[in-house]
Amino acid sequence: TIIDLYPLFSNAAGTMIPKYTTDGTHLTEAGYSIWVQKLLGLDVFSVTNGSNNLALNRPTVVSSVLNNDTAYSGAKAVDGNNSTEWWSNYSGYSQTFTVDLGNSYNINSVIIKWASDGGYAQGFYLQVSHDAVTWTTIDTVAGNTFLLNSVTNLNSEGRYVRMVGTGRSNGLGYTITEFEVYGQKALDLALSDFSLKVRERAAILNWKVSDIN
């Protein structure tokens, strides 16, 4: 089978883009993803930026809720309503907000809308995880003075997304009206015996596919 992958995997110099190959012949996980999208007939470039809010109405876990009042629960920050909010306790320098996306996604951006009547984070970092146990920091923000933070070009993968506040704007708790996550579902691959050879402007692929979901 011959599939034209040259425009997807090569740079202007005609060599393999490093993030897509381990040794110039075999693909990385990112390379597999691009290849499978092409194999399935998907427009690779159209699926790189999901337009749906993946966090909308998804389960949340928060470090605290002001006075344990359900009116300020974590769910209020993912309900699509800018007039409701998650509000943490006033005590505690650091607080966390976590959303479970339900599946692993390639995460491109996170938008945090802070409530004007509470406290925004002067500093925070974003983390992702596949199991809510092991976390990877994907972005750090310091010296923030805005009520709207749009963190883009994350290029990360995970099921859980967490905001860890490291500094508040005042003595009130952290308050988030909406926590939004954007991206697309990660491809679930189980591929073996896969090799790639670039031949001029075509790629010859030899593979054994055990399962593609």
Side-chain angles (χ1 to χ4, degrees), residues 144-158:
N144 178 50
T145 59
F146 299 102
L147 293 178
L148 175 64
N149 295 131
S150 180
V151 186
T152 60
N153 299 318
L154 294 175
N155 298 318
S156 302
E157 184 178 326

Side-chain angles (χ1 to χ4, degrees), residues 2 8 10 14 31 33 38 42 83 92 94 97 121 137 142 160 178 189:
I2 299 178
L8 302 178
S10 62
S33 179
K38 185 71 172 180
L42 300 177
S83 64
S94 178
F97 179 94
T137 299
Y160 302 88
E178 284 299 308
L189 307 178

Side-chain angles (χ1 to χ4, degrees), residues 2 9 62 77 80 87 96 100 107 156 179 181 184 186:
I2 299 178
F9 289 149
V62 296
W87 200 317
T96 62
D100 176 3
I107 298 167
S156 302
F179 189 93
V181 180
Q184 64 282 334

Side-chain angles (χ1 to χ4, degrees), residues 24-25 28 43 47 78 104 108 113 116 146 152 154 179 181 187 190:
T25 299
T28 61
D43 183 344
V47 299
V78 292
S104 287
N108 301 319
K113 300 175 183 178
S116 59
F146 299 102
T152 60
L154 294 175
F179 189 93
V181 180
L187 293 171

Side-chain angles (χ1 to χ4, degrees), residues 17-205:
I17 299 173
K19 72 175 182 178
Y20 293 142
T21 180
T22 57
D23 55 11
T25 299
H26 297 87
L27 294 179
T28 61
E29 183 177 352
Y32 278 132
S33 179
I34 294 295
W35 170 71
V36 171
Q37 290 173 36
K38 185 71 172 180
L39 183 65
L40 296 178
L42 300 177
D43 183 344
V44 172
F45 299 104
S46 70
V47 299
T48 56
N49 291 293
S51 58
N52 294 325
N53 176 15
L54 303 175
L56 184 64
N57 295 319
R58 295 301 309 168
T60 61
V61 176
V62 296
S63 53
S64 69
V65 175
L66 182 64
N67 299 325
N68 292 318
D69 188 339
T70 56
Y72 300 118
S73 69
K76 301 301 182 181
V78 292
D79 61 1
N81 186 346
N82 288 321
S83 64
T84 61
E85 58 201 37
W86 165 63
W87 200 317
S88 75
N89 283 335
Y90 294 170
S91 61
Y93 181 74
S94 178
Q95 298 282 349
T96 62
F97 179 94
T98 305
V99 61
D100 176 3
L101 303 179
N103 291 288
S104 287
Y105 287 87
N106 295 317
I107 298 167
N108 301 319
S109 62
V110 173
I111 296 176
I112 305 177
K113 300 175 183 178
W114 305 95
S116 59
D117 58 347
Y120 61 85
Q122 288 184 322
F124 65 91
Y125 52 92
L126 295 173
Q127 296 181 316
V128 294
S129 174
H130 291 286
D131 56 10
V133 175
T134 302
W135 295 90
T136 300
T137 299
I138 57 175
D139 198 82
T140 301
V141 175
N144 178 50
T145 59
F146 299 102
L147 293 178
L148 175 64
N149 295 131
S150 180
V151 186
T152 60
N153 299 318
L154 294 175
N155 298 318
S156 302
E157 184 178 326
R159 170 176 173 171
Y160 302 88
V161 183
R162 178 167 74 174
M163 183 285 301
V164 181
T166 58
R168 295 176 293 174
S169 59
N170 52 40
L172 303 177
Y174 294 90
T175 53
I176 297 177
T177 61
E178 284 299 308
F179 189 93
E180 302 175 359
V181 180
Y182 294 90
Q184 64 282 334
K185 190 173 182 179
L187 293 171
D188 183 12
L189 307 178
L191 299 164
S192 60
D193 298 338
F194 179 92
S195 63
L196 169 74
K197 293 182 180 180
V198 176
R199 181 176 297 174
E200 295 182 351
R201 293 194 60 84
I204 298 177
L205 300 101

